[in-house]
Amino acid sequence: MSKSHLPHAQLIATLKDLSPDGDALAQLIALVAALRPDDADNALLANARFTVLCEMIEGDAALRNHLRGCVLALFAGRKQVSFFADSGILPNTGFFSELWRRIVQRIFPALNDTNYLRDGVNLIFHRRDDHVWLDALPTTLKLRFWQSLKMTEVRDHPALLESLSQMLDATDVLATRIGAMGLEPELIRLYPRIEERGSPFLALAVETHQLSAGYRAYLAGGAAPAEDERQLQVLIDQCRQVIGRIRARAAAVGTSLTLTYLIRRLDQSLNRLEILARMLAMRHQLAEPDASDLPLVELWVEFLGHAIHGESQRQGIRSHVSRTIGLLALRVTDNASRAGEHYITTTRAEYFSMWRSAMWAGFVVGFMALLKVYSGKADLAPLGFALAYAMNYSFGFVFIHIMHWTL
């Protein structure tokens, strides 16, 4: 073997060892281990190994069939709803409950159940930095890999049909959750119109259930669905508009960890429902003459990227805290910037106007300081001192506010 092939020796050996009679999960774990660079930031090595993988399955039909068989076997007989509906999406436990769960599981790791596709994927991409080298791979290379497997040749394979059925179950689960989250008291408090008018979140759930029922009937051999995903997309956009109004309202009256966590989870759920609905629609369009599988492959690559990235961070304590607190800080900063606009001047006249305003406010603060000194010399009980200091500061700051001066 030449020196240039040494970095890929394990990958080549693993590919040659693929067997249709072997354990699909174990073989995929070994394959990803051979693809994974020791340093997750080594994007060049990951790119080179992935390119070798694509070249080998493109040039060897038997190898392609073996690898495709492993992928189909991974899906066959496993529960997939949690993979499609939950991977990469925050749970409904709340910020602090999720933080505690991650701390406990860091000490006592949970056991993986290989009957679930989600746990199987977690075993394949078991390192917390796997998303780093996967994200560094060019999208064109990822598309090349999935297209080189030629999954359209087995589009009616029982494992894929069962996967479609469970994907429909996942859309129902997501839609039901979105409808429930849209009626959370924290959202209604900021946007009461959700109760006064027809909630787009509830309408979204109804439309999703109708659409999935039509697709299920089609999979069972019935007529093509009378509806497509376009009406569902309209409702998803309406839900996002409501979320935008809630964010604007929260920026004015204040936000909280609960609200920030809820909106983030709602955003993630809407994005996941949208991509699943588009994937299902693309899958049915493949039955049309001259239909290309590229749009479906692109959606599948996008979904896998989100799911694997989210799963790799599922146990990360730092990532959970930093992302949620980061969103909260953004809201607070935005609110503070709105309140602080009157401190900014752009012209000479505005500068001197603010200078005079600050001068008068400074005079009042100086007067308040003198009153505090004299109050401290008075012969008062502790409660008297507290009341004197409180009244001094409260009257002073209220006076500054009434006079529109700048402190």
Side-chain angles (χ1 to χ4, degrees), residues 12 49 103 128 153 155 173 286 293 315 333 391:
I12 296 172
R49 288 179 177 175
I103 293 173
R128 281 185 292 171
E153 295 180 354
R155 64 187 305 269
V173 170
L286 285 178
D293 67 334
Q315 307 303 336
T333 302
M391 297 298 290

Side-chain angles (χ1 to χ4, degrees), residues 18 46 135 150 199 215 222 239 300 322 383:
L18 289 178
D135 292 343
K150 298 184 179 180
S199 170
Y215 280 143
C239 291
W300 175 248
S322 62
L383 179 61

Side-chain angles (χ1 to χ4, degrees), residues 109-130:
L111 295 176
N112 287 304
D113 185 353
T114 56
N115 290 319
Y116 288 85
L117 178 62
R118 185 182 186 185
D119 286 354
V121 172
N122 282 329
L123 288 172
I124 296 171
F125 300 97
H126 60 87
R127 278 180 41 172
R128 281 185 292 171
D129 57 359
D130 273 335

